[in-house]
Amino acid sequence: MLTLSEHECIALIKQQKCFHAEVDNGAFIVKIDEYSPMICAAIHNGHKLRADLQKNFLLSEDERFYEEDPFTDDLISSFPVQLIGNDSRFEYDLNRAKTLSTYFKTAWDKQVWHKPLTQKQRAVSHAKHQAFYNVLSAIVTSIERQFGNAIVFDIHSYNHKRIVTDTPTFNIGSGQIDIERWGKVVNHFERQLNKIELPNLDVRAATDEVFQGRGYLISHVNAHFDNTLVLPTEVKKVFMDETSGEVYPLVLEDLKAGFKDAISETAAFFVRRYGKKKRTQKADILSSNISPEVLRLDKKLFALCKHVETLNFINPINLAPERNRFLKRNSYIAPNFTYKQLNINPYQFRENLYKLAVDEISDASIQQLYRHVVDNLSYKIDLLTTIGTDDFVYNSLKYYGEPNKADIDNARFLLHLNDSEPSASEPSASEPEYDADQAIDYFKEQAYQWQLSCKIEKSSKIVAKAMVNNEKALLLINKDARFSEKELHAFAYHELGIHMLTTINAKANPLKVFSLGLVGNTHAQEGIALYSEYCSGSLTMKRLKTIALRVIAVKYMLEHGDFVKTYHALMSEFDLDKEQAFTLTTRVYRGGGFTKDYLYLRGFKDIINVAKQQPIDNLLVGKTGLLDFDIVSEMVERGLLVQPKPLFDLSYKPSGDKIIDFIVNSIK
């Protein structure tokens, strides 16, 4: 961060330069990442008291802290234009006129100074007060000149325990607002604040219930600018213990994210109503540049985790001989699978993972996205370190979850459908089969047509018919696999059209977290991949039943804990051949009990539900998940990520096969 004088700061603002700086010996901070019609201020955030005043100051650190507005800088950290007070309001109060900003002796019924400040001491504080308002005026002037109008969010916090009556979580003060002119913006902001959700707290926003917004910041702006609205906003100190000063991190994190949405939505509404751009959305209000701290963190995260690919370690290395032994010996002795050794020190990995400076990310939503990823990777390393042990299944449950009643009911529904009248998309009995070499030729041609730069090879080390290796952008084809023509078409859309595309898209983005995978990426990516089969007219009843069988296989694995018992239960109940039953059982028992397979059907159902409501193209930016879909879309709209282009239309519409459409829409 730069250290600038007031005049240097104003000179940069007049040139519309972006910068972060401490101004006037650190009295306040200016952060400008991009010139936006929205300014956020936290003028009572500071706790500093200059050295020549400390001997004369009577209050303790705790007493001073109690009346200040700590952590309000966090509440505005997501926004491109910020003004943050560093000095304590007891030295000079930025929300009072300059001549009244220094307290003579008392404040809040407490004596502040042992003896009154000298004229010289007051003059130093008043000069810092003046510098702040000179810089604020320069910013507002620049923004009004560029955008025509500006909106200032003047953020404070308040102590509530001393107030007997119930008080709102957020209070907007409208005492100095021209309600006839700006009233709709005030009402919109109140509605947005009421949407914020905080852990274990009831949230309520109100206007003029506790405070009326009589401070000097709004008075100063009203006196000097005709086209700028100031919204004085008080936040109840629910994010901390107001007496001890102890912060509640989970509340503060959710409050930051909620504030980001409420403020940016209100600013966009303000611009649409009063500004030049009538189609402004909240993404247009936020910065279009990735901050250096995000890039630094992302680089470190990727370097630490780029080789932590679950399927590289979980597929048995002796799959072929164990399959042959099992199938040739009456199938009553469970396979003895062995696995690739883990080349990661899990203790050092966890230590380095939690050392990553996620707290340094200023954007609340992006910070939450990385927090989700870090926590998820800690579960993933637990999973990998227990491969082949009894603990593996418990870590799989923690990482992937397990099928619920709805999942089981959907699977049973599909498996009990009558096969006597196949849909138009079903392969005929006489349809030829293609071996692995022929499949590779087909996929290479399809990849060429879609302009996908990738490798396609045979493998003897995978359980599935086909699988994408994300790290190498490599499509692996099981050397023993056989495909019908419709299966080739379906696998092309599934593996190349989604999995390979998202692999390539992730590598093209500046943030490598999308190659590692966001939380729930298996659920979302497999759901989209199956949805692509549906969109392409390749989804068959046979395929749906295979996906349903995987759900039942996971259920049986969790109930039986016995490979042989699950294998025979699947064979006898669903009339499967030995090869199919072995593959299904192996998929869910590899590693020691792998629950991932139920997510295909759940993901398909959930993606269809989302696609019916909104476009899902932004999920193709990389290995994304539905948990962070909103922030991913926002990042695309802000230009932080490359907008993904699907290889085919992913908007929801019936497939044209009435039977398949009926079945798919019956999955609940």
Side-chain angles (χ1 to χ4, degrees):
M1 185 177 291
L2 301 173
T3 300
L4 299 176
S5 69
E6 165 201 341
H7 300 295
E8 289 171 326
C9 188
I10 291 172
L12 290 175
I13 292 165
K14 287 181 177 179
Q15 299 171 57
Q16 289 212 313
K17 299 288 187 182
C18 297
F19 63 96
H20 288 195
E22 288 190 328
V23 186
D24 203 355
N25 296 316
F28 59 96
I29 290 172
V30 179
K31 294 182 179 181
I32 303 178
D33 293 320
E34 199 166 300
Y35 284 84
S36 161
M38 168 181 63
I39 302 163
C40 292
I43 61 176
H44 285 159
N45 181 78
H47 189 62
K48 285 174 58 180
L49 191 66
R50 68 180 194 267
D52 66 300
L53 300 181
Q54 289 182 5
K55 290 182 179 179
N56 190 31
F57 192 69
L58 294 177
L59 301 183
S60 68
E61 287 273 323
D62 289 344
E63 287 175 309
R64 190 163 104 223
F65 195 69
Y66 179 77
E67 298 296 353
E68 294 161 348
D69 296 352
F71 309 110
T72 47
D73 61 335
D74 285 302
L75 301 184
I76 65 170
S77 65
S78 302
F79 303 108
V81 183
Q82 301 172 36
L83 276 166
I84 301 165
N86 282 342
D87 288 334
S88 173
R89 68 193 300 183
F90 285 103
E91 180 181 338
Y92 58 96
D93 193 329
L94 284 168
N95 218 23
R96 292 160 64 107
K98 182 171 69 175
T99 56
L100 301 173
S101 64
T102 49
Y103 297 102
F104 182 69
K105 266 194 173 183
T106 62
W108 293 283
D109 299 323
K110 293 179 181 179
Q111 187 170 345
V112 177
W113 306 109
H114 178 68
K115 58 183 179 180
L117 300 181
T118 66
Q119 192 63 32
K120 183 178 179 180
Q121 288 173 323
R122 293 180 72 234
V124 172
S125 296
H126 290 171
K128 293 197 278 187
H129 183 286
Q130 185 66 55
F132 176 89
Y133 279 99
N134 288 344
V135 171
L136 172 62
S137 294
I139 293 173
V140 175
T141 299
S142 178
I143 288 174
E144 277 199 0
R145 184 179 296 123
Q146 180 178 350
F147 297 99
N149 300 87
I151 183 169
V152 179
F153 293 87
D154 177 21
I155 306 303
H156 302 263
S157 62
Y158 76 95
N159 298 312
H160 59 93
K161 291 182 180 178
R162 58 189 172 192
I163 303 174
V164 177
T165 58
D166 176 56
T167 55
T169 317
F170 309 106
N171 183 98
I172 305 167
S174 71
Q176 298 187 77
I177 295 175
D178 182 348
I179 292 298
E180 187 174 350
R181 182 183 183 189
W182 307 114
K184 291 187 183 301
V185 182
V186 176
N187 293 338
H188 187 86
F189 188 37
E190 184 178 322
R191 287 195 298 272
Q192 296 302 315
L193 290 171
N194 269 310
K195 293 179 181 178
I196 294 175
E197 295 181 0
L198 300 176
N200 304 311
L201 291 168
D202 293 326
V203 171
R204 182 170 68 86
T207 299
D208 297 332
E209 190 170 311
V210 183
F211 303 95
Q212 286 71 47
R214 301 289 182 184
Y216 179 69
L217 190 148
I218 185 172
S219 298
H220 175 88
V221 172
N222 285 348
H224 294 90
F225 299 95
D226 292 333
N227 298 311
T228 295
L229 165 64
V230 177
L231 291 173
T233 307
E234 295 276 353
V235 182
K236 193 174 184 177
K237 287 184 179 178
V238 294
F239 52 86
M240 62 182 290
D241 185 319
E242 65 185 49
T243 305
S244 69
E246 180 184 16
V247 68
Y248 305 140
L250 297 181
V251 179
L252 185 60
E253 182 178 334
D254 284 356
L255 185 56
K256 284 166 58 179
F259 243 56
K260 177 186 172 182
D261 286 339
I263 288 178
S264 55
E265 289 283 6
T266 302
F269 175 82
F270 173 83
V271 173
R272 289 195 300 271
R273 190 169 183 85
Y274 301 102
K276 299 174 182 178
K277 294 176 65 177
K278 301 305 179 185
R279 295 188 176 182
T280 300
Q281 302 300 318
K282 75 173 188 177
D284 302 318
I285 298 295
L286 301 166
S287 174
S288 59
N289 299 307
I290 301 174
S291 65
E293 63 268 18
V294 172
L295 290 170
R296 284 195 301 269
L297 173 72
D298 185 80
K299 184 178 180 180
K300 290 179 180 178
L301 180 66
F302 185 68
L304 178 63
C305 305
K306 62 184 177 181
H307 298 305
V308 184
E309 179 64 47
T310 306
L311 295 182
N312 287 348
F313 297 100
I314 206 168
N315 284 323
I317 59 177
N318 62 338
L319 176 61
E322 284 302 300
R323 178 198 287 119
N324 292 335
R325 183 187 65 80
F326 183 82
L327 296 178
K328 289 179 179 178
R329 296 187 180 180
N330 298 322
S331 308
Y332 282 101
I333 300 176
N336 183 21
F337 292 132
T338 55
Y339 304 93
K340 180 181 177 180
Q341 291 295 335
L342 189 67
N343 56 353
I344 300 166
N345 183 328
Y347 311 105
Q348 187 177 9
F349 179 88
R350 291 189 195 92
E351 183 180 350
N352 291 335
L353 188 64
Y354 282 108
K355 280 183 178 178
L356 294 170
V358 180
D359 285 341
E360 291 182 4
I361 297 176
S362 56
D363 187 292
S365 303
I366 297 176
Q367 184 188 77
Q368 282 190 330
L369 182 149
Y370 277 93
R371 283 198 192 283
H372 294 159
V373 170
V374 166
D375 286 341
N376 202 50
L377 283 166
S378 71
Y379 297 150
K380 190 172 189 177
I381 203 66
D382 289 344
L383 182 74
L384 295 179
T385 55
T386 54
I387 289 175
T389 73
D390 292 340
D391 290 334
F392 180 83
V393 68
Y394 301 108
N395 287 315
S396 181
L397 287 166
K398 186 166 65 173
Y399 188 74
Y400 292 109
E402 64 180 307
N404 58 27
K405 184 178 184 300
D407 297 320
I408 302 300
D409 289 345
N410 284 328
R412 293 285 186 191
F413 162 72
L414 293 172
L415 290 168
H416 284 88
L417 289 173
N418 192 340
D419 285 337
S420 60
E421 296 183 13
S423 70
S425 62
E426 290 296 319
S428 65
S430 61
E431 188 174 329
E433 282 196 330
Y434 298 85
D435 63 19
D437 291 318
Q438 292 169 313
I440 287 174
D441 291 339
Y442 180 91
F443 294 137
K444 283 183 176 179
E445 175 60 27
Q446 187 62 70
Y448 174 78
Q449 290 181 17
W450 279 335
Q451 298 182 327
L452 294 173
S453 179
C454 61
K455 296 178 181 179
I456 303 173
E457 297 175 1
K458 278 193 299 187
S459 173
S460 61
K461 298 179 180 179
I462 62 172
V463 178
K465 284 188 173 183
M467 186 191 86
V468 170
N469 181 307
N470 297 317
E471 186 180 346
K472 298 178 180 178
L474 169 65
L475 175 60
L476 296 170
I477 307 300
N478 190 316
K479 72 178 185 64
D480 297 319
R482 296 290 184 271
F483 300 85
S484 69
E485 188 170 347
K486 287 190 180 295
E487 281 182 312
L488 285 177
H489 191 251
F491 272 89
Y493 275 78
H494 185 113
E495 300 293 346
L496 292 174
I498 300 300
H499 293 326
M500 187 61 74
L501 176 65
T502 53
T503 293
I504 292 170
N505 284 348
K507 291 179 183 296
N509 267 297
L511 296 178
K512 301 309 176 187
V513 70
F514 294 97
S515 289
L516 296 176
L518 304 188
V519 175
N521 69 87
T522 299
H523 164 259
Q525 297 301 299
E526 296 301 351
I528 303 169
L530 278 167
Y531 177 65
S532 76
E533 295 181 39
Y534 176 70
C535 292
S536 67
S538 305
L539 189 64
T540 64
M541 193 62 238
K542 179 181 178 183
R543 174 70 161 155
L544 283 170
K545 288 197 171 189
T546 298
I547 298 304
L549 282 167
R550 292 179 184 177
V551 179
I552 301 302
V554 173
K555 176 179 182 291
Y556 284 177
M557 179 273 291
L558 292 171
E559 290 177 353
H560 301 157
D562 184 300
F563 187 102
V564 173
K565 189 173 182 179
T566 297
Y567 168 82
H568 285 287
L570 290 171
M571 278 192 67
S572 61
E573 185 174 352
F574 301 106
D575 195 26
L576 305 181
D577 62 45
K578 291 182 177 182
E579 287 281 355
Q580 188 179 9
F582 178 85
T583 298
L584 278 169
T585 309
T586 298
R587 288 180 66 98
V588 299
Y589 276 91
R590 53 185 164 162
F594 197 39
T595 60
K596 169 193 166 187
D597 270 7
Y598 83 94
L599 288 171
Y600 288 75
L601 183 57
R602 182 186 288 184
F604 179 47
K605 174 199 69 174
D606 291 344
I607 288 295
I608 283 183
N609 289 338
V610 173
K612 287 179 178 179
Q613 303 297 322
Q614 65 186 97
I616 63 169
D617 294 0
N618 287 339
L619 287 171
L620 302 180
V621 76
K623 304 305 177 182
T624 58
L626 293 180
L627 175 65
D628 294 300
F629 186 20
D630 287 345
I631 178 59
V632 169
S633 292
E634 180 196 295
M635 292 169 77
V636 171
E637 290 160 11
R638 289 166 63 181
L640 306 182
L641 302 173
V642 179
Q643 185 162 22
K645 295 180 180 178
L647 300 174
F648 38 84
D649 186 7
L650 285 173
S651 59
Y652 178 78
K653 55 184 178 296
S655 70
D657 184 321
K658 292 183 179 180
I659 296 176
I660 290 293
D661 289 339
F662 172 79
I663 292 168
V664 166
N665 284 299
S666 298
I667 300 172
K668 303 300 181 184

